Amino acid sequence: MTLRARLFSREVVPFYLSLMALAVTALLADAALHLLNAVWVGRWLGIPGVLLILGSMGYSLRKRKLIQWGKPVTLLRLHEYMAWAGSLLVLVHAGIHFNAILGWLAVGAMLINVASGLTGKFLMQRARRRLDESRERMRQQGLTDEQLAERTYWDSLTFDAVKQWRSVHFPITLAFAVLALAHIVAVFLFWGWK
């Protein structure tokens, strides 16, 4: 297998499969609700979806030292799974109905946020793996720690730049939160609660 094929299968395919799995699962679940004449269930799935997304914020709180409990690696995995599952429920909640622009803006912001999170996840994994592989290769060549630090200087800077991806992900998350909150407030104000 060529390097290009390995790179594509190891880096690009999992990213797109994650996004496609989210979209296909949401469409199938929404179609099942329509077939079972249970569309009303989707109306309520937004609540557990939002709760899962809020629960996934434990990782961010731990990273910012706002909470002390939990291992960051475990919280990161929970963040990924809970955000994905919460997004799935919100997508089923939204369905393929075009009822309100505010709700669709919130869904759009959520999808951009999910894509941003997955992009960061795969960029960070790839950058860390390449830096580690490069260091290991140089260690095997017998380089000293000083030579190793000198030769991986630019790679380390690149890795640090990739870590700055979070500064892009955070405003996207904030936009999603504002739009979702506006949608929730509008629902409480204008929805006929029968």
Side-chain angles (χ1 to χ4, degrees):
M1 185 182 284
T2 67
L3 178 62
R4 182 176 291 170
R6 279 194 312 242
L7 181 63
F8 184 78
S9 66
R10 203 169 70 185
E11 307 295 337
V12 177
V13 171
F15 171 74
Y16 283 112
L17 285 178
S18 297
L19 282 178
M20 287 192 44
L22 182 63
V24 168
T25 306
L27 287 172
L28 289 175
D30 189 53
L33 289 177
H34 278 83
L35 287 172
L36 296 170
N37 201 23
V39 176
W40 63 271
V41 171
R43 182 180 273 189
W44 298 99
L45 289 179
I47 296 168
V50 167
L51 292 176
L52 280 168
I53 291 169
L54 287 174
S56 78
M57 298 302 292
Y59 171 71
S60 298
L61 296 173
R62 179 72 165 98
K63 281 294 269 194
R64 289 170 179 74
K65 297 183 178 22
L66 296 173
I67 61 172
Q68 300 300 316
W69 55 269
K71 295 179 182 176
V73 172
T74 304
L75 290 173
L76 176 60
R77 294 295 164 251
L78 281 172
H79 172 76
E80 292 169 355
Y81 297 131
M82 290 174 75
W84 192 91
S87 297
L88 173 64
L89 292 177
V90 169
L91 284 173
V92 175
H93 164 73
I96 51 172
H97 319 278
F98 297 97
N99 298 333
I101 189 75
L102 185 57
W104 276 99
L105 288 173
V107 167
M110 181 191 71
L111 290 173
I112 292 169
N113 194 33
V114 169
S116 167
L118 288 172
T119 300
K121 172 185 174 180
F122 289 108
L123 279 176
M124 290 292 289
Q125 286 175 346
R126 181 173 185 216
R128 181 175 288 119
R129 186 171 43 249
R130 288 191 69 175
L131 184 58
D132 290 345
E133 288 170 358
S134 180
R135 284 181 177 151
E136 184 58 34
R137 211 173 26 257
M138 289 180 202
R139 277 191 189 102
Q140 289 174 355
Q141 293 172 355
L143 297 179
T144 66
D145 286 343
E146 186 177 306
Q147 291 171 320
L148 187 67
E150 184 179 309
R151 293 213 181 153
T152 60
Y153 175 75
W154 291 108
D155 288 341
S156 296
L157 285 180
T158 303
F159 180 69
D160 289 342
V162 169
K163 286 183 4 184
Q164 296 306 314
W165 148 85
R166 289 183 184 101
S167 64
V168 172
H169 186 59
F170 182 75
I172 293 170
T173 303
L174 187 59
F176 164 56
V178 168
L179 288 166
L181 184 61
H183 170 66
I184 292 167
V185 168
V187 165
F188 278 108
L189 291 176
F190 302 112
W191 192 22
W193 291 86
K194 298 175 187 172

